[in-house]
Amino acid sequence: MRRRTLAREHALKILYQYDIVKLPIEAVIKSYWAIQESHDDEMISYANLLVLGIAQNIVGIDQKISDYATNWQIRRMAIIDRNVMRIGLYELKHTTHIPPKVAINEAVELVKKYGDLESSKFVNGILDKIHKKEIIEPQN
């Protein structure tokens, strides 16, 4: 598995734990990595970048997801779905090195692995709407 794909999986697990335990994000990150066997510094670094970036921007990220998820409140969404969308939206809006289509595809694949049967359509629909309305694709 590619490093960034694996980093996104770890980020999802950390964010899931953060949603459940409601401890400071730094404490959740520390406890999560303490029990992991991975020593891939690049993968750990990217997972931490995602988690910390999402935590720092969570109000805006959640508001943006809510704006596009018609008739859905963020707190009523499945934990996996909302955290995958947080990762995808963070990559769409706050990183410059991940192409938008890659960010969306990675989010969809991640939610296919960990979410419900219909989750991939839901996540793809929200992220694709945001992409089409707010993200300008670089012209080749």
Side-chain angles (χ1 to χ4, degrees), residues 89-103:
L89 184 55
Y90 181 80
E91 286 188 318
L92 281 173
K93 299 283 275 183
H94 298 278
T95 64
T96 56
H97 58 283
I98 306 294
K101 291 187 188 283
V102 171

Side-chain angles (χ1 to χ4, degrees), residues 55-118:
Q56 290 169 352
N57 296 284
I58 199 156
V59 172
I61 289 171
D62 285 357
Q63 184 59 55
K64 187 66 63 188
I65 292 168
S66 293
D67 291 347
Y68 283 88
T70 311
N71 301 322
W72 276 94
Q73 296 175 343
I74 194 89
R75 63 180 166 71
R76 304 241 4 244
M77 292 177 190
I79 294 174
I80 295 293
D81 295 0
R82 77 171 160 246
N83 282 306
V84 168
M85 283 190 282
R86 285 170 174 161
I87 293 168
L89 184 55
Y90 181 80
E91 286 188 318
L92 281 173
K93 299 283 275 183
H94 298 278
T95 64
T96 56
H97 58 283
I98 306 294
K101 291 187 188 283
V102 171
I104 294 169
N105 186 59
E106 288 284 328
V108 169
E109 291 304 314
L110 189 58
V111 82
K112 280 181 183 177
K113 185 172 182 178
Y114 291 100
D116 292 335
L117 291 174
E118 297 296 315

Side-chain angles (χ1 to χ4, degrees), residues 25-62:
I25 194 65
E26 294 82 6
V28 176
I29 291 170
K30 185 177 179 180
S31 70
Y32 179 82
W33 291 117
I35 60 170
Q36 296 301 313
E37 295 179 9
S38 177
H39 298 290
D40 183 338
D41 291 340
E42 186 179 327
M43 183 272 304
I44 291 169
S45 177
Y46 192 66
N48 289 345
L49 174 111
L50 290 172
V51 171
L52 291 169
I54 290 164
Q56 290 169 352
N57 296 284
I58 199 156
V59 172
I61 289 171
D62 285 357

